[in-house]
Amino acid sequence: MSTLIILLVLVVPTAWFLVERSHRKTSAMAGGLHEDITLPHTAEWELYHNSFSLCSKKLRVCLDELGLEYTSHPIDLIETGSYENVSRHFLAVNPAGVVPVLVHRGHPVYESHDEIVYAARHAGERGRELLPDEDAARALVEHWTDVASIVGADPTRGTEQRAGNCVPGLTLPIFAAMCQYISFTHFVEGLLFHPQKKRPLILGLLKLRGLRGLPKLPPAMELLDRSRRNMARHLDALGEQLDEGGGPWIAGERFTLADVSWVVILDRLVEVDWEEHFWGNGKRPQVAAYWERLRARPSYERAILHVRCATLKNGIADVKAAKRADPALKAALEGST
Ligand SMILES: N[C@@H](CCC(=O)N[C@@H](CS)C(=O)NCC(=O)O)C(=O)O
């Protein structure tokens, strides 16, 4: 009898884990098109994406602006419900376990900055508007697209170089709020199968401590402070570019991939209630006006607002309410810069 109990309690779960792990192999994937991989598909363009993920939003806005229709495959991340990104079926699409993945005629393209360039190159005249041919304009667009990208296995290290890499740190408050709606059992799946254990560990910790506990987590606050200081510098540079280029867009008269890359950054800052801190009360007027122009575009409504999930809407409201109710929390998050 006791042997049977030991078998049930130890051997069966271990065997399940080993079998499952053998089916959920992960590996880093280089950016760009992978013609050697063919995925099941029914449409010319398909997109695996998540409603909340910044890189996914960038792809949705880009495809909308380019007028490219696509088949949508929503994939949950832990913040929006579960670790579907480390499920067997999604790892077959991207063994790196991250979204977005753009699929063109069955072949995946990885890394969102490569994906938007790839889509623009295959979208005819409209693509050439978003990604200009002329050297100087193209270099400008590439620079501002790169600054807005999230790059590297640990993006939190590159906050000085990239506004995109400041985003994870500045998103911590809403991560903490959204994780409250997700059951702990889902976090266990991440600890077992996620290729980067640090991610489920940090999010699990945020769930445990909650938004109000965030200021008591020194490593998280160091990241948040660093990201906030560096984002301020990136936004100053953006304001200067809008001034010098004459606007209304980063490359002047023309709306380009640079603007596609920045609308999602500014949108994330708004979601996490950083708007007033960075460009409220007369601060950075060029950025404030630019944000108004970006959010007036139909692509913003269709590709971002319309796709917001319930957990994100709850998270947005919870961050605002917590800061309003607790001035010490607001001061801790926003600091003096
Ligand atoms: N550099 C990659 C970043 C991809 C990435 O980290 N995606 C996030 C969402 S924005 C993700 O899938 N996270 C899932 C997880 O880490 O569990 C890109 O630009 O595509």
Side-chain angles (χ1 to χ4, degrees):
M1 183 64 182
S2 59
T3 319
L4 188 67
I5 292 173
I6 291 172
L7 195 74
L8 283 176
V9 171
L10 289 178
V11 180
V12 174
T14 308
W16 171 82
F17 171 66
L18 293 176
V19 170
E20 213 35 44
R21 200 179 54 176
S22 71
H23 285 101
R24 299 200 202 190
K25 290 220 164 67
T26 60
S27 61
M29 298 303 285
L33 176 70
H34 288 247
E35 276 181 306
D36 51 322
I37 305 175
T38 306
L39 300 167
H41 62 286
T42 53
E44 179 179 1
W45 296 97
E46 306 207 354
L47 182 66
Y48 291 80
H49 64 112
N50 172 268
S51 57
F52 175 61
S53 128
L54 177 127
C55 304
S56 300
K57 289 177 183 174
K58 187 162 74 177
L59 258 294
R60 291 198 301 271
V61 171
C62 179
L63 295 175
D64 188 295
E65 290 283 350
L66 290 171
L68 294 178
E69 304 241 327
Y70 60 91
T71 297
S72 163
H73 300 278
I75 299 294
D76 254 326
L77 305 181
I78 189 67
E79 307 90 285
T80 58
S82 69
Y83 268 116
E84 192 182 356
N85 57 312
V86 292
S87 64
R88 289 185 188 197
H89 83 91
F90 183 68
L91 289 174
V93 174
N94 186 1
V98 292
V99 288
V101 178
L102 180 65
V103 179
H104 188 214
R105 300 195 173 113
H107 304 302
V109 187
Y110 300 124
E111 291 290 334
S112 60
H113 37 282
D114 291 319
E115 292 164 19
I116 57 174
V117 169
Y118 182 92
R121 285 201 179 127
H122 290 80
E125 193 45 45
R126 183 68 185 132
R128 279 186 289 280
E129 278 173 43
L130 263 74
L131 184 61
D133 281 336
E134 317 84 73
D135 288 347
R138 191 186 188 95
L140 184 82
V141 170
E142 279 173 358
H143 168 74
W144 284 96
T145 301
D146 182 59
V147 172
S149 297
I150 301 184
V151 175
D154 182 0
T156 59
R157 291 182 187 276
T159 58
E160 281 180 25
Q161 292 76 28
R162 290 192 177 79
N165 286 21
C166 297
V167 165
L170 293 170
T171 305
L172 289 172
I174 203 164
F175 278 150
M178 290 171 74
C179 284
Q180 302 312 311
Y181 296 92
I182 315 298
S183 126
F184 263 118
T185 50
H186 292 303
F187 288 83
V188 176
E189 190 179 3
L191 291 174
L192 292 177
F193 301 112
H194 201 289
Q196 295 175 38
K197 305 289 177 227
K198 193 175 156 190
R199 293 194 186 193
L201 267 177
I202 292 173
L203 289 168
L205 199 59
L206 289 175
K207 175 168 173 64
L208 269 177
R209 303 303 294 261
L211 176 52
R212 289 195 171 77
L214 183 57
K216 295 185 207 100
L217 295 172
M221 288 309 286
E222 275 160 32
L223 171 63
L224 192 146
D225 287 345
R226 191 168 70 245
S227 304
R228 193 187 59 235
R229 281 195 307 275
N230 284 320
M231 180 60 88
R233 291 198 196 102
H234 294 300
L235 290 175
D236 286 340
L238 174 67
E240 280 164 28
Q241 173 59 30
L242 288 164
D243 248 356
E244 285 163 17
W249 310 113
I250 289 178
E253 292 290 319
R254 196 188 239 187
F255 183 90
T256 66
L257 289 188
D259 304 296
V260 167
S261 304
W262 274 87
V263 63
V264 297
I265 301 243
L266 300 188
D267 168 68
R268 172 56 51 85
L269 295 178
V270 170
E271 281 174 342
V272 197
D273 200 36
W274 290 110
E275 188 177 5
E276 185 188 309
H277 174 80
F278 284 122
W279 66 83
N281 306 318
K283 270 179 277 179
R284 300 190 179 90
Q286 309 90 334
V287 175
Y290 176 57
W291 167 240
E292 289 306 318
R293 290 192 289 274
L294 287 171
R295 74 192 188 112
R297 291 183 79 86
S299 60
Y300 179 69
E301 165 73 33
R302 289 192 293 252
I304 297 189
L305 286 187
H306 184 69
V307 188
R308 272 187 185 166
C309 66
T311 314
L312 172 56
K313 288 180 189 164
N314 288 336
I316 292 172
D318 292 350
V319 170
K320 276 193 199 307
K323 283 169 69 179
R324 219 176 9 235
D326 184 351
L329 174 69
K330 182 174 160 67
L333 296 179
E334 297 189 1
S336 54
T337 51

